Amino acid sequence: MFQQLELDFASALASALSEPEQADISLMCASLEQHLQGRSPHEQLRVAGDAIKDMAEVCFQRAELMIQGWEERYNSEGPVLDEDFLAGMVQQTMFLDVSDLCRQPKSRESRQGFTGVPVDSVVGEVSKDAVLDFVDELESGEAVALKVSHVEDVGGMGGRDL
């Protein structure tokens, strides 16, 4: 009788370890109770400890599968693929030789440019002293404008009719 119960529990445990998502823990507990009947208390503790350890392993594997399925389903970064899966479809670097598509520009024998004929222009040479005098005039004009702007009576101007 012990032999048959042992086989029932052992076969249930083996199938649970091979397919943890299909395991029925309550059925395993019931078969464990039948498996422990008629044994000495010391042997019951030893066998039950080993059986509980194996059932905990089944629960662990089932939880791992559930978490893995949840992560695959709700992964915000998309599906997780092995590197080997895309190896044939992805190219890391690319080189394109376009030297055959480019040609050298044709040389122009008649280049347009200076013909040697003088043209009326506003461009000419100016001495350094003339430029400095011009800058001084600009700066003195700004100073005069600032002096006038500080002495204006803006409030008095608002009352006049224009």
Side-chain angles (χ1 to χ4, degrees), residues 118-133:
V119 179
D120 291 336
S121 174
V122 293
V123 177
E125 291 184 15
V126 178
S127 69
K128 183 177 180 180
D129 294 331
V131 173
L132 291 174
D133 290 341

Side-chain angles (χ1 to χ4, degrees), residues 16-65:
L17 286 171
S18 65
E19 296 181 26
E21 63 272 2
Q22 303 296 326
D24 186 4
I25 301 297
S26 61
L27 179 69
M28 289 177 64
C29 288
S31 68
L32 176 62
E33 284 183 30
Q34 290 178 354
H35 179 65
L36 293 177
Q37 288 178 355
R39 298 181 185 263
S40 68
H42 179 66
E43 191 176 350
Q44 283 181 354
L45 289 175
R46 184 187 58 76
V47 171
D50 291 339
I52 290 173
K53 178 184 69 86
D54 292 337
M55 286 191 292
E57 180 65 30
V58 170
C59 291
F60 171 75
Q61 289 178 2
R62 176 187 264 176
E64 284 288 318
L65 289 171

